[in-house]
């Protein structure tokens, strides 16, 4: 087996991280619009609405909203077969609870998709990528509220109908499983618009929100297939495999439970029901969740067509005999893996882990896979107007090699590969511009200063060659 002839070599971004134009064309305020800039090791703050005198990097981002034509021309020069982006929910339903969509927002994506299709670039679209309407947080409490299912489904149905002849590949919720890390504020807020009170038990709230999202996702899949049976609608899972620290059976067991806590989401997406290890856990912990018989039918009727996932790094866990059996505390029990290097931001670099997780998904679900994010966040230095990012090329090459081995040696069915942030954009985790993933450089710094001009890094020419040779010239 080799890579498919129609293999979708592409690049990935998300609306809030590159568009800017945060109030253009009637757009509403999203959760990304109330997050300040952070730094390496300094969390972004979530403010109560948009406040004066704060630096909100997503408001302007890289101004793709106004520059998409010249940018898409560059993407075409790079040779992209597909372009993964998201539709900002707040351009279509600015508050999230309107009955009628905002035409200016719909028109923007019509124009963007037409521009892509003009060059033969296929749009690959995420419906909700860390940018839900902020109004749904303040008025409804985010995804802890069942009403959000209807709001999301209305949004999904609107864009499915509008773009049914322009978009074939869709994903519902970006990295829906990040919120397994509910101890930190970032993931529950960006995934689900969750803010917690001080004395609240966060864990069951997260499970409830995720349940409503999974039901909303399943309903969207069903409706999408009714609108266009050709649609391929996938999950989007942040895959950081959790290795056991040693061959000690306790570490093995610990890692297995840790994997269950982080990856049950794709079990529900792909199988249409809750795995018994999780329902047993809910029971043992006494979590009373609102999961109805009708929900169960919806989950079963809307399973995904493929598994989309991001892969940046791997984790490792050591059993600490924490008094909770093998239950695992993500915030406390991960350890540094001495067998792999790490980036400046502490992300462990593990190319072989990509082959490992492709096998893991393939064994578990027997569905096609789509690597919709992978990449290396690094500081780039401009020398005489050029960026020699051999470190980025080395990272991507090593991962593509493993990806090809998973296809050729292990028989995994893979739809495509879209490296993350192939044009520099605002980091989700830190809000920085300095943490760059791009093959296209964007002149802007963490303080928001710069000309926003675009230029090609060495990795641009390299990736162009990779695409042209369908992965043979690495
Ligand atoms: P940044 C971790 C933390 C935050 C977002 O991340 C993440 C992850 C990955 O496990 O997810 C994705 O910008 C996400 C993108 C994001 C990218 O990883 O923090 O889907 O939106 O930009 C890279 O370096």
């Amino acid at each position: 087996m080799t890579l498919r002839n129609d293999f979708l070599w592409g690049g990935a971004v998300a609306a809030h991280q590159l568009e800017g134009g945060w109030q253009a064309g009637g757009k509403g305020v999203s959760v990304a619009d109330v997050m300040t800039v952070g730094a390496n090791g300094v969390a972004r703050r979530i403010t109560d609405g948009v406040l004066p005198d704060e630096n909100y990097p997503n408001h302007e981002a890289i101004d793709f909203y106004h520059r998409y034509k010249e940018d898409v021309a560059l993407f075409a020069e790079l040779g992209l077969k597909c372009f993964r982006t998201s539709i900002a929910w707040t351009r279509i339903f600015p508050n999230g609870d309107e009955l009628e969509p905002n035409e200016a927002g719909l028109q923007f994506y019509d124009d963007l998709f037409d521009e892509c299709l003009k060059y033969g670039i296929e749009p690959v679209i995420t419906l909700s990528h860390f940018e839900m309407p902020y109004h749904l947080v303040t008025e409804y409490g985010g995804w802890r509220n069942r009403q959000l299912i209807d709001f999301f489904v209305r949004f999904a149905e609107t864009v499915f109908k509008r773009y049914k002849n322009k978009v074939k590949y869709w994903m519902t919720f970006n990295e829906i499983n990040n919120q397994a890390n509910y101890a930190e504020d970032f993931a529950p807020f960006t995934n689900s618009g969750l803010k917690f009170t001080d004395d609240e038990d966060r864990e069951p709230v997260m499970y409830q929100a995720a349940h409503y999202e999974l039901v909303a996702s399943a309903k969207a899949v069903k409706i999408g297939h009714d609108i266009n049976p050709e649609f391929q609608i996938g999950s989007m899972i942040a895959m950081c495999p959790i290795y056991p620290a040693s061959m000690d059976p306790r570490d093995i067991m610990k890692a297995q439970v840790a994997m269950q806590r982080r990856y049950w989401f794709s079990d529900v997406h792909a199988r249409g029901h809750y795995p018994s290890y999780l329902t047993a856990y809910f029971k043992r912990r006494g979590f009373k969740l609102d999961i109805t018989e009708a929900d169960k039918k919806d989950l079963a009727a809307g399973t995904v067509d493929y598994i989309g996932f991001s892969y940046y790094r791997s984790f490792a866990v050591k059993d600490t005999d924490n008094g909770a059996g093998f239950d695992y505390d993500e915030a406390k029990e991960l350890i540094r893996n001495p067998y792999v290097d790490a980036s400046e931001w502490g992300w462990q670099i593990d190319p072989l882990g990509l082959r490992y997780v492709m096998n893991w998904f393939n064994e578990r679900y027997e569905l096609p896979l789509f690597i919709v994010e992978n990449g290396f966040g690094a500081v780039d230095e401009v020398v005489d107007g050029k960026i020699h990012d051999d470190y980025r090329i080395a990272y991507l090459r090593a991962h593509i090699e493993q990806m090809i081995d998973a296809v050729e040696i292990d028989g995994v069915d893979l739809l495509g590969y879209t490296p993350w942030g192939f044009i520099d954009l605002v980091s989700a985790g830190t809000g920085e511009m300095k943490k760059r993933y791009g093959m296209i450089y964007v002149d802007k710094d963490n303080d928001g200063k710069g000309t926003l001009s675009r230029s090609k890094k060495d990795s641009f020419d390299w990736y162009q060659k990779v695409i042209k040779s369908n992965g043979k010239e690495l």
Side-chain angles (χ1 to χ4, degrees), residues 216-447:
S217 173
K219 287 181 123 172
V221 168
K222 172 84 175 46
I223 289 169
H225 288 154
D226 290 344
I227 291 169
N228 183 349
E230 301 277 292
F231 276 179
Q232 295 293 303
I233 310 174
S235 64
M236 193 333 193
I237 302 291
M239 175 40 94
C240 314
I242 307 172
Y243 300 151
S246 77
M247 65 189 98
D248 179 344
R250 298 193 63 89
D251 287 345
I252 308 277
M253 188 67 218
K254 183 79 182 194
Q256 185 168 51
V257 174
M259 286 294 283
Q260 291 174 351
R261 293 290 184 277
R262 253 191 98 84
Y263 300 105
W264 65 272
F265 302 81
S266 47
D267 285 352
V268 180
H269 268 312
R271 298 170 174 156
H273 59 83
Y274 276 81
S276 59
Y277 63 77
L278 197 67
T279 45
Y281 179 67
F282 291 163
K283 204 162 160 213
R284 177 158 59 80
R285 295 294 309 273
F287 295 157
K288 299 265 174 304
L289 303 177
D290 172 31
I291 300 175
T292 66
E293 289 307 311
D295 291 347
K296 290 182 187 166
K297 285 206 183 103
D298 286 332
L299 291 176
T303 54
V304 292
D305 300 310
Y306 66 94
I307 304 289
F309 69 97
S310 65
Y311 179 80
Y312 292 90
R313 53 177 166 170
S314 58
F315 291 148
V317 69
K318 174 143 197 61
D319 180 53
T320 54
D321 199 7
N322 63 9
F326 291 99
D327 286 345
Y328 136 98
D329 185 340
E330 168 144 342
K332 298 208 183 96
E333 293 184 306
L334 294 178
I335 58 161
R336 172 84 179 82
N337 181 346
Y339 295 95
V340 300
D341 290 333
S343 81
E344 210 174 302
W345 277 262
W347 290 26
Q348 298 181 151
I349 304 165
D350 176 14
L352 186 55
L354 176 57
R355 179 171 168 192
Y356 174 76
V357 301
M358 289 172 73
N359 276 280
W360 189 87
F361 277 133
N362 185 46
E363 281 172 2
R364 211 167 170 93
Y365 307 126
E366 297 185 317
L367 286 172
L369 306 183
F370 200 154
I371 303 169
V372 295
E373 287 184 29
N374 172 236
F376 188 58
V379 177
D380 289 328
E381 229 184 294
V382 187
V383 182
D384 297 332
K386 297 235 180 302
I387 293 127
H388 302 299
D389 56 343
D390 46 314
Y391 37 90
R392 183 169 292 108
I393 294 172
Y395 176 101
L396 294 169
R397 177 189 289 127
H399 285 76
I400 292 172
E401 279 168 0
Q402 294 301 330
M403 162 184 112
I404 292 174
D405 279 356
V407 172
E408 293 188 347
I409 301 175
D410 306 327
V412 172
D413 184 9
L414 183 66
L415 298 170
Y417 174 76
T418 60
W420 174 254
F422 71 102
I423 179 166
D424 288 345
L425 39 62
V426 177
S427 155
T430 69
E432 293 172 287
M433 278 302 299
K434 204 175 117 188
K435 190 182 185 190
R436 296 175 186 275
Y437 288 85
M439 300 160 186
I440 299 169
Y441 186 82
V442 176
D443 178 31
K444 185 171 177 177
D445 65 18
N446 283 359
D447 301 325

Side-chain angles (χ1 to χ4, degrees), residues 434-470:
K434 204 175 117 188
K435 190 182 185 190
R436 296 175 186 275
Y437 288 85
M439 300 160 186
I440 299 169
Y441 186 82
V442 176
D443 178 31
K444 185 171 177 177
D445 65 18
N446 283 359
D447 301 325
K449 297 198 186 67
T451 62
L452 286 171
S453 71
R454 279 57 165 154
S455 54
K456 299 175 207 164
K457 305 181 195 176
D458 286 359
S459 54
F460 185 99
D461 299 325
W462 172 79
Y463 191 49
Q464 189 182 50
K465 211 175 56 189
V466 173
I467 298 178
K468 213 175 258 166
S469 66
N470 200 22

